[in-house]
Amino acid sequence: MAAVQVASALSVPLLSALLGGAVALVFLAGYLRRKRADIAHLPPSAAAAAPDLPKQVRPAGQNKKGGGHARVHHHHASAADKEAAKKHHHLDINTLRGHTDCVTALDFSSDACNLATVCADGVVRVFRIDDASSKSFKILKINLPAGAHPTAIAYSEGSSSVVVAAQALLGSSLYMYADVGAPPTGGNKQQGKLSPPEIKWDHKKIHGKESVLNLAAARATHGTGDGSTIVISCSEATDIKIWHGKSGKELGTVDTNQLKNNMADISPNGRFIAAAAFTADVKVWEIVYSKDSSVKEVNRVMQLKGHKSAVTSLCFTPDSEKIITASKDGTIRVWNINVRYHLDEDPKTLRVLAVPLHDSKGSTCLYEHMGISPDGKVLALTSGSTLQWLCAETGAVLDTAEKAHEGAISGIAWAPRTIPNGGGAPAYILATCGDDKKVKLWLAPEVSST
């Protein structure tokens, strides 16, 4: 009787354990079947990109032995590849990866051999661009001071010095790094072990507590300028500061007095500064150089009047004689600023173009970023995640890339000269960056000679 009671007492927990084990095995078997199905349906391109895929697991369709099952999955992979190909824009030639957060700004060096980026992860990355279609690029990484969140970057002197604007709790700072060129492809591998570049000069709280919207730089070649690089920092408030790129000396300050700035630019010859701000008018200042090449003064000399609403972006043409503006009023204007303003000649509107980009509701889109190709033929503009190219002469749409990035485009930069592109002829290249942690390289579309 005692033996029977003991057996009865043991049977309940034993039975529970057996049932629990059976349930666990069922769930485990189902999980393994689903996991195996996921791996089997993973196309080869995705499998190559999956860092956590064990090396010993061979995706279906890549088995050593042939068979109908392998051919079926190869068919699925081909269908996936075709679908991916449909989404690939024909001007999109490369993607630079490695950023771990949003890429906030980028700029090409004057020789177009290096592309510098700043990222919300607090790192400056310099990519060596020997060939725009290359499968890999040499990268130099620079860690910004702790707590510095970069918002803008510009090459400051030559092709190997950069100025970075970064926001911290107490305001924005500027940091200048020299000798930041990434090593050439195939160069000395030991270069990666060298000490990181040091800060050559810096300035704290340059715009109070306000952040820097953008940096722009140009060589002072107008008048008695000595070719030194002039850098401007545009505050999100109303002030714009002018700096000597090599020494870091502050050369002047201008105030738009227009509630808030949207962005600012400097002409390629270092003569003019123009600001897009809250109101419809665009103010233009001239940097006057002394006989000894130093900056003598900065004077407001023109005001571009014609838009009916705020100007969201602008750029100078390569010859420094025109300004192109985009406004919330749905128009793009081309202005001739090569006038005798000291004789009260006003800048002239050469062309007024309708913004050709509209959203799904038919409303005119706003262009947040704008840049013109070095040959002055192609105008690149962005709105959200859309990238569009216009003929700078006629305003005709040359091409459009919807969802150029998987998120908003945060910056664009044209290479200042053509770059080798695989086996084809060297081409003008546009770089874009976005919230999707990517930097993309795009070919300039062809412009008809007619």
Side-chain angles (χ1 to χ4, degrees):
M1 185 66 180
V4 173
Q5 291 177 344
V6 171
S8 300
L10 290 176
S11 63
V12 174
L14 181 61
L15 183 59
S16 299
L18 289 174
L19 287 173
V23 171
L25 285 172
V26 169
F27 277 104
L28 180 60
Y31 171 78
L32 290 175
R33 282 196 302 273
R34 289 193 301 273
K35 194 69 176 178
R36 186 174 181 181
D38 290 342
I39 294 174
H41 285 81
L42 193 65
S45 57
D52 298 329
L53 188 63
K55 292 183 179 180
Q56 66 271 21
V57 176
R58 187 183 298 274
Q62 297 182 5
N63 296 323
K64 292 183 179 179
K65 295 182 180 180
H69 183 70
R71 284 194 295 270
V72 169
H73 289 294
H74 178 72
H75 172 75
H76 285 303
S78 297
D81 289 343
K82 289 179 181 179
E83 184 64 26
K86 291 180 182 178
K87 298 178 182 179
H88 181 81
H89 196 278
H90 67 104
L91 296 178
D92 180 3
I93 56 174
N94 219 330
T95 299
L96 309 184
R97 304 178 188 275
H99 303 88
T100 62
D101 209 329
C102 303
V103 186
T104 53
L106 74 176
D107 193 30
F108 272 102
S109 60
S110 58
D111 60 6
C113 291
N114 291 298
L115 177 63
T117 69
V118 285
C119 180
D121 60 12
V123 178
V124 178
R125 292 171 174 83
V126 182
F127 295 82
R128 177 76 183 190
I129 312 291
D130 291 316
D131 189 316
S133 63
S134 177
K135 293 183 179 179
S136 63
F137 300 89
K138 294 284 186 179
I139 307 175
L140 174 70
K141 296 182 181 180
I142 307 168
N143 292 317
L144 290 170
H149 303 283
T151 59
I153 189 168
Y155 273 87
S156 62
E157 192 71 23
S159 59
S160 61
S161 300
V162 294
V163 174
V164 180
Q167 180 74 4
L169 290 176
L170 298 179
S172 283
S173 298
L174 287 185
Y175 303 97
M176 190 276 217
Y177 294 89
D179 304 321
V180 301
T185 302
N188 183 2
K189 295 182 179 179
Q190 296 298 320
Q191 293 214 20
K193 298 181 181 180
L194 296 177
S195 300
E198 297 180 353
I199 297 173
K200 296 300 181 181
W201 57 259
D202 65 332
H203 292 286
K204 308 293 186 184
K205 298 178 65 175
I206 58 172
H207 293 287
K209 291 189 176 182
E210 306 295 338
S211 65
V212 172
L213 293 175
N214 77 290
L215 295 173
R219 293 182 60 214
T221 58
H222 176 74
T224 56
D226 61 1
S228 297
T229 300
I230 304 298
V231 179
I232 65 168
S233 59
C234 178
S235 157
E236 65 179 353
T238 62
D239 56 325
I240 300 168
K241 288 185 177 290
I242 306 156
W243 312 87
H244 189 271
K246 187 174 183 179
S247 68
K249 180 181 178 181
E250 184 177 340
L251 303 176
T253 301
V254 298
D255 197 322
T256 61
N257 293 311
Q258 291 176 295
L259 294 180
K260 72 181 186 67
N261 295 330
N262 288 328
M263 56 84 62
D265 197 13
I266 184 170
S267 61
N269 62 3
R271 182 184 182 186
F272 294 116
I273 296 171
F278 183 78
T279 63
D281 296 342
V282 173
K283 295 179 181 180
V284 181
W285 295 263
E286 182 183 24
I287 303 174
V288 181
Y289 298 93
S290 301
K291 292 182 179 179
D292 63 357
S293 300
S294 62
V295 172
K296 181 181 179 180
E297 55 190 356
V298 183
N299 301 318
R300 202 182 91 185
V301 293
M302 281 178 271
Q303 194 158 330
L304 311 183
K305 296 184 176 182
H307 282 297
K308 298 179 180 178
S309 189
V311 174
T312 56
S313 59
L314 57 78
C315 69
F316 287 89
T317 56
D319 60 9
S320 299
E321 295 183 355
K322 302 179 188 68
I323 295 178
I324 304 174
T325 58
S327 169
K328 289 183 177 180
D329 64 11
T331 66
I332 299 170
R333 285 178 176 256
V334 182
W335 309 79
N336 175 25
I337 60 170
N338 185 25
V339 297
R340 295 176 296 179
Y341 61 85
H342 54 282
L343 297 178
D344 293 329
E345 280 189 8
D346 293 326
K348 300 175 178 63
T349 299
L350 299 178
R351 288 181 295 281
V352 180
L353 311 168
V355 171
L357 189 63
H358 297 83
D359 60 21
S360 58
K361 297 181 180 178
S363 301
T364 303
C365 294
L366 303 179
Y367 289 128
E368 294 115 3
H369 302 281
M370 173 192 295
I372 193 168
S373 59
D375 61 1
K377 294 182 178 180
V378 180
L379 187 64
L381 307 106
T382 74
S383 179
S385 62
T386 299
L387 172 62
Q388 190 167 60
W389 296 266
L390 305 182
C391 174
E393 181 66 27
T394 65
V397 177
L398 300 175
D399 219 318
T400 302
E402 296 181 357
K403 296 184 179 178
H405 282 261
E406 298 165 17
I409 298 172
S410 51
I412 65 174
W414 282 99
R417 59 186 65 182
T418 58
I419 297 177
N421 179 39
Y428 286 116
I429 301 297
L430 177 75
T432 62
C433 59
D435 295 345
D436 57 358
K437 310 177 186 178
K438 295 177 183 177
V439 171
K440 289 191 173 186
L441 302 181
W442 308 79
L443 282 174
E446 293 185 3
V447 180
S448 174
S449 58
T450 58

